[in-house]
Amino acid sequence: MKKEYDFTNAEQGKFYIPLEEIEAPIYLDKDVALFFADKLKGKNENLQSLINELLRKDIEIANRFSA
């Protein structure tokens, strides 16, 4: 490492991304991914949209039972 670094033209927070905006990848087990990929055959929808739709329905059901 250098003894000193020149930060005169540096921009603070240039690469900062708020935690709320970070999209973490979610990995499905192979059998689960294959099951849903099979359900999507011939449909104009992607795997992410299908999984999100199913999870939203699950959240709705969970909220009904916890209320």
Side-chain angles (χ1 to χ4, degrees), residues 1 5 11-12 17 19 27-28 30 33 37 43-45 47 50-52 57-58 60-61:
M1 286 183 62
Y5 290 89
E11 185 180 331
Q12 187 174 3
I17 300 173
L19 189 58
Y27 301 99
L28 301 175
K30 192 169 194 143
K43 295 183 181 175
N44 192 17
E45 191 176 5
L47 184 60
L50 176 64
I51 299 298
N52 280 328
K57 286 179 183 179
D58 194 46
E60 183 182 321
I61 291 168

Side-chain angles (χ1 to χ4, degrees), residues 6-37:
D6 181 12
F7 292 106
T8 55
N9 295 322
E11 185 180 331
Q12 187 174 3
K14 183 176 183 176
F15 300 104
Y16 173 75
I17 300 173
L19 189 58
E20 300 82 27
E21 293 180 18
I22 295 174
E23 292 188 30
I26 297 176
Y27 301 99
L28 301 175
D29 290 341
K30 192 169 194 143
D31 60 324
V32 175
L34 289 173
F35 174 82
F36 286 112

